[in-house]
């Protein structure tokens, strides 16, 4: 009985696609972290601008109703900044999770031995059942089967 030889090409293909998807998900998570960080910075800058306006407004006499309105607005700005901070933490956690998945997929891909690459001029196929190799470089150097002087 002939020995069964299982090539790992299909396993490598599946694991390569899995690794590619994991890398793309990690890249998307990195982009989400950058966007969340930019949103957090924008919220903080907006809150700081509001604080400057609030301090400038307090230099003049304020009525109680204005004081309450300023305080509520400040609380809203502070809540926006807190939500942006929470979104950034969630995005970083997701990025860490995606990084772990990508590393695991990359590790699985590296478990498969790499395919042997053929050097230029060498045939990849191994002759089956003792048949002579075919192709341009097959046979004796300088002699081609097609270069007969007499037609058959």
């Amino acid at each position: 009985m002939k020995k069964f030889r299982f090539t790992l090409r299909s396993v490598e293909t599946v694991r390569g696609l899995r690794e590619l998807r994991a890398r793309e998900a990690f890249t998307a998570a990195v982009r989400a972290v950058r966007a969340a960080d930019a949103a957090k910075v924008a919220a903080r800058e907006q809150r700081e601008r509001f604080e400057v306006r609030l301090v400038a407004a307090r230099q003049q006499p304020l009525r109680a109703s204005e004081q309450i309105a300023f305080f509520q607005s400040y609380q809203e700005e502070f809540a926006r900044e807190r939500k942006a901070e929470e979104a950034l933490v969630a995005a970083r956690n997701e990025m860490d999770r995606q990084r772990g998945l990508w590393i695991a997929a990359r590790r699985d891909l590296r478990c498969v031995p790499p395919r042997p690459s053929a050097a230029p001029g060498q045939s990849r196929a191994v002759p089956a059942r003792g048949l002579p190799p075919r192709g341009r470089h097959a046979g004796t150097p300088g002699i081609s089967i097609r270069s007969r002087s007499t037609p058959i």
Side-chain angles (χ1 to χ4, degrees):
M1 180 182 253
K2 192 173 181 181
K3 184 178 178 181
F4 177 72
R5 294 186 65 187
F6 178 72
T7 61
L8 294 174
R9 230 177 240 171
S10 60
V11 173
E12 181 185 18
T13 303
V14 169
R15 288 184 180 179
L17 289 173
R18 189 178 301 150
E19 189 268 339
L20 179 67
R21 287 188 203 115
R23 185 175 359 143
E24 288 172 351
F26 174 65
T27 304
V30 169
R31 286 187 194 128
V33 167
R34 287 183 183 165
D37 190 36
K40 178 189 164 235
V41 168
R44 186 182 69 232
E45 289 173 353
Q46 186 175 352
R47 182 187 51 86
E48 289 171 353
R49 285 192 304 266
F50 183 78
E51 287 174 352
V52 169
R53 286 191 316 233
L54 182 63
V55 169
R58 283 189 173 178
Q59 299 299 324
Q60 302 169 0
L62 287 176
R63 292 183 290 190
S65 61
E66 291 176 347
Q67 181 68 21
I68 292 172
F70 278 137
F71 185 69
Q72 288 175 347
S73 298
Y74 180 75
Q75 283 180 335
E76 291 171 4
E77 293 293 328
F78 195 74
R80 278 192 205 114
E81 185 180 6
R82 195 175 325 125
K83 285 180 185 177
E85 178 72 30
E86 290 169 359
L88 178 62
V89 169
R92 283 186 180 153
N93 290 338
E94 179 65 18
M95 182 183 74
D96 290 340
R97 188 179 75 80
Q98 292 296 336
R99 179 185 292 125
L101 293 174
W102 177 44
I103 289 171
R106 184 77 176 158
R107 193 178 308 124
D108 286 347
L109 178 64
R110 289 183 184 216
C111 288
V112 177
R115 285 188 244 168
S117 62
Q122 288 182 344
S123 175
R124 283 185 169 207
V126 176
R129 299 186 192 149
L131 296 176
R134 296 183 290 172
R136 194 172 78 172
H137 300 289
T140 310
I143 298 176
S144 173
I145 297 174
R146 294 184 184 158
S147 65
R148 294 188 180 182
S149 59
T150 58
I152 297 180

